Amino acid sequence: MAVKKTAVIVLDCAKPEELAEFHAGLLGGTVGVGDDPDYVEVSDGQGLCLAVHRDYGYAPPSWPRPEDSQQSHLRILVARGDMDEAEREAVGLGARPVDAKDNSGPRDTRTYSDPAGHSFTLAVYAEPTARR
């Protein structure tokens, strides 16, 4: 029998509480600091959990330079009609647009970097389709 497990994505940065506050504001979550001040969690009480960890030698990602890969990013799903408001919220919290063109359609995605340089994308929920 497999041991029960859970997982969390951890973002490295220089100032974990500040970055956790950014992501809590963006995702509608709360910040929790435990015994380790270098490890901060963001959760929403409904299953969302993201952690932020202090890296004393942190250097931000250099993506989107063509020679560098994105490696990983957060994809935040929003309803089609809420995309512009989600973009305003993200930028108001300190996100920097990387590629924020309005694609106006089912593949509308807009890419930003958080205050520590990690990329994330706002994307429209996939609409369910009927199978034939």
Side-chain angles (χ1 to χ4, degrees):
M1 177 175 222
V3 174
K4 183 178 178 181
K5 299 172 184 74
T6 189
V8 61
I9 293 176
V10 180
L11 300 175
D12 290 336
C13 68
K15 299 176 182 176
E17 286 192 54
E18 290 179 19
L19 190 60
E21 289 291 343
F22 167 82
H23 283 287
L26 183 64
L27 299 169
T30 58
V31 173
V33 181
D35 293 336
D36 182 353
D38 290 340
Y39 182 85
V40 182
E41 288 188 347
V42 175
S43 63
D44 70 352
Q46 299 177 27
L48 168 75
C49 188
L50 171 73
V52 183
H53 178 260
R54 183 183 326 272
D55 176 347
Y56 289 94
Y58 179 72
S62 56
W63 184 87
R65 291 191 323 209
E67 65 273 10
D68 294 326
S69 71
Q70 195 172 14
Q71 296 184 6
S72 67
H73 72 282
L74 298 173
R75 186 173 184 93
I76 301 168
L77 304 174
V78 299
R80 183 184 323 277
D82 294 336
M83 183 64 92
D84 291 338
E85 181 62 25
E87 179 176 57
R88 284 190 290 276
E89 288 176 357
V91 172
L93 288 164
R96 294 179 303 273
V98 173
D99 181 5
K101 64 181 177 285
D102 179 357
N103 297 314
S104 298
R107 293 195 173 113
D108 189 4
T109 60
R110 303 174 193 184
T111 304
Y112 307 85
S113 62
D114 70 18
H118 305 102
S119 61
F120 68 93
T121 301
L122 295 176
V124 171
Y125 283 124
E127 297 288 331
T129 57
R131 290 190 162 190
R132 294 178 193 219

